[in-house]
Amino acid sequence: MSDFRLKVFQSVAKNLSFTKASQELFVSQPAITKHIQELETCYQTRLFDRQGSKISLTEAGELLLKHSEKILDDYKQLEYEMHLLHDEYIGELKLGASTTIAQYVLPPLLANFITKFPQINLSLINGNSRGVEVALQEHRIDLGLVEGIFRLPNLKYTAFLQDELVAVVHMRSKLAVADEILPEELPNIPLVLRERGSGTLDVFERALLQYNLKLSSLNVLMYLGSTESIKLFLEHTDCMGIVSIRSVHKELVADTLRVVEIKGMPMQREFNFVQLQGQEGGLSQVFMRFAGHHSKSL
């Protein structure tokens, strides 16, 4: 029911590219241009400034983007509530999840969810926790799932699953490290860690502060963008990694990795749903209830 031209405009405005909007919406580029021209004719103003191959929003474009986000959110909520009158769950739900959650928690949940709610069009993007929060603020997703302890004031966080970080080394590693170490020994051990903006690194930094340790005092060989990259790095390099216990279950069972306990330095954390303040409800709430119930078995 919603005005497709607003969806087109929003996609062009977010991507600042007619080509990317065409790819995102599966619509030809001439059709994208036509929809934008119709909006500019309707409001008798330019929505984009064009400088060669680059475009930017005009003041009118900024205003339309602000209102189009609200309008499209209202349309989505209306569609949800109208179908709910007939006990139907129909609509589109865009999820964003941090890397660890997307790889090691969500796959079975998503499989069960689409089986139970086949008429909900579900999609997922993944990145680090900060990237997911940005996507939520830019209305590119409806619901985020993030890790870590960093909090933004305009977002609402709801815990749904406990997790723990552990230090691991490869069983073939020549690194001389005992099964239990003291936090004070960390600066002497070569490390591979997740990248800035990841919830995993947030939690590790917070744990270090208990012992007045900073990342700058550690011997960090590499910062990598995924846990899988860290596990492969450990296979070929004599160092120690900090990862979610959920991500190394198979490797621990297979005896390819071993856990090194850092005495007196627990690294507990929560996985959280994250929403824009004031935009709770709808299909996001359906997914949260479903995931909250099924996460007990994870």
Side-chain angles (χ1 to χ4, degrees), residues 35-53:
H35 285 304
I36 297 300
Q37 289 173 340
E38 287 174 351
L39 283 171
E40 290 181 328
T41 300
C42 176
Y43 293 113
Q44 298 183 329
T45 186
R46 285 184 299 104
L47 299 173
F48 297 95
D49 283 325
R50 297 160 175 83
Q51 297 101 20
S53 60

Side-chain angles (χ1 to χ4, degrees), residues 11-22:
S11 182
V12 175
K14 295 297 185 186
N15 291 293
L16 291 178
S17 167
F18 285 76
T19 302
K20 290 181 180 178
S22 172

Side-chain angles (χ1 to χ4, degrees), residues 178-197:
D179 288 339
E180 181 179 278
I181 63 173
L182 297 173
E184 293 81 3
E185 297 178 64
L186 283 170
N188 302 318
I189 300 172
L191 297 171
V192 55
L193 303 175
R194 284 290 306 278
E195 81 289 0
R196 287 284 184 187

Side-chain angles (χ1 to χ4, degrees), residues 129-182:
S129 293
R130 300 295 83 76
V132 171
E133 289 166 338
V134 169
L136 188 63
Q137 291 172 314
E138 293 181 350
H139 294 259
R140 289 187 281 120
I141 59 174
D142 305 305
L143 176 67
L145 297 93
V146 299
E147 56 209 66
I149 40 79
F150 190 72
R151 297 289 183 271
L152 296 177
N154 63 330
L155 300 179
K156 179 182 178 181
Y157 297 81
T158 306
F160 77 97
L161 193 63
Q162 297 293 319
D163 188 41
E164 178 186 5
L165 299 185
V166 292
V168 293
V169 295
H170 200 275
M171 293 297 282
R172 295 199 307 267
S173 174
K174 297 175 183 177
L175 185 67
V177 59
D179 288 339
E180 181 179 278
I181 63 173
L182 297 173

Side-chain angles (χ1 to χ4, degrees), residues 93-108:
L93 179 60
K94 296 179 180 179
L95 301 176
S98 58
T99 308
T100 300
I101 297 174
Q103 288 184 318
Y104 307 108
V105 176
L106 273 184

